[in-house]
Amino acid sequence: ATMALSPRLLTRFTPGDRWQLFAGYGRGFRTPEARAFTQPQTAAADEDLSRFQGGRSTMTLTDNVEVGGRVQPTPRVDVGVATFGTWIGRESVFDHVSGFNIELSSTRRLGAEADIVLHATQWLELGGDITYAHARFVESGNPIPGAPPLVVSTKATVLHPRGFRAGVRWFLLGRRPLSYGATAGVATVIDANVGYRYRWFQVDLSIDNLLGLD
């Protein structure tokens, strides 16, 4: 049997009615990949499958640190900023040539995030978020395939007292590195949802990628 401790530590400090500071640490883990127990059924004669043939299954440990604060300059405005770091013992990267997730060496993600929430009315909330991350392999310093340096999102949420609710969320992924030196272009997606609740009855409809963008 494989076991791992996953401690979580969080502290908060409120120097004033409108200010809040926080810091946190957590250790997580990723369970062994399914490829540790399977292998491709067919392969070319000269293809080396040794890296897909399993071996002893182990969990990958991750360490996460976050430090930040929030301020509410007015009852209708809430602003937050934070810096973070994430360390992964063995990065799992999808290899589109072989069609498998491949475990590589350790990685490090350092970045910052800022968000703002506007309580426009009692039932309407607007928000925006921007995140920057510097994601690299620890030993080589190479970028992590698939990890976007920049993510931007905005949202609008309606929670009407009569039970109606709706929301729309738009987010943008910046250009991101891929395997074999390739680079993915900017991607943008819009999601939407509507719903209604009356006492014990509730119905919801969610649409992902509303505009069908690639």
Side-chain angles (χ1 to χ4, degrees):
T2 304
M3 300 178 62
L5 296 178
S6 184
R8 297 286 190 275
L9 300 174
L10 178 64
T11 181
R12 296 181 185 274
F13 175 60
T14 54
D17 294 337
R18 298 180 178 181
W19 288 86
Q20 182 183 94
L21 304 177
F22 61 86
Y25 163 79
R27 164 160 285 192
F29 61 91
R30 184 179 67 237
T31 55
E33 297 287 349
R35 65 179 178 81
F37 309 99
T38 61
Q39 62 181 18
Q41 298 300 312
T42 59
D46 59 347
E47 185 175 359
D48 181 13
L49 301 180
S50 59
R51 59 179 173 175
F52 305 122
Q53 291 176 350
R56 182 179 179 181
S57 59
T58 58
M59 292 185 290
T60 297
L61 296 178
T62 66
D63 291 289
N64 304 274
V65 177
E66 184 178 21
V67 178
R70 303 199 66 84
V71 60
Q72 195 170 16
T74 73
R76 294 187 179 276
V77 180
D78 190 357
V79 180
V81 294
T83 59
F84 61 86
T86 300
W87 292 263
I88 298 178
R90 294 188 308 278
E91 185 72 35
S92 180
V93 175
F94 178 73
D95 179 60
H96 64 277
V97 175
S98 65
F100 280 82
N101 287 329
I102 300 175
E103 278 192 348
L104 301 176
S105 59
S106 60
T107 57
R108 174 183 61 241
R109 292 167 172 82
L110 303 176
E113 179 182 15
D115 73 277
I116 182 171
V117 179
L118 304 176
H119 304 281
T121 68
Q122 183 180 2
W123 47 270
L124 174 61
E125 182 177 284
L126 307 174
D129 182 281
I130 181 170
T131 302
Y132 170 79
H134 186 264
R136 292 290 188 271
F137 285 93
V138 174
E139 295 182 2
S140 67
N142 294 329
I144 303 172
L150 181 67
V151 178
V152 180
S153 69
T154 60
K155 66 177 181 179
T157 305
V158 174
L159 296 171
H160 200 273
R162 292 183 177 272
F164 295 98
R165 63 179 179 274
V168 60
R169 178 175 180 264
W170 169 85
F171 70 90
L172 176 146
L173 294 176
R175 293 171 60 87
R176 55 203 184 281
L178 299 177
S179 301
Y180 304 101
T183 301
V186 175
T188 180
V189 176
I190 298 177
D191 300 331
N193 65 83
V194 294
Y196 175 75
R197 180 183 180 88
Y198 179 74
R199 295 183 180 177
W200 53 268
F201 175 77
Q202 177 176 319
V203 60
D204 293 284
L205 173 65
S206 298
I207 303 176
D208 296 332
N209 197 4
L210 180 63
L211 302 182
L213 302 175
D214 294 331

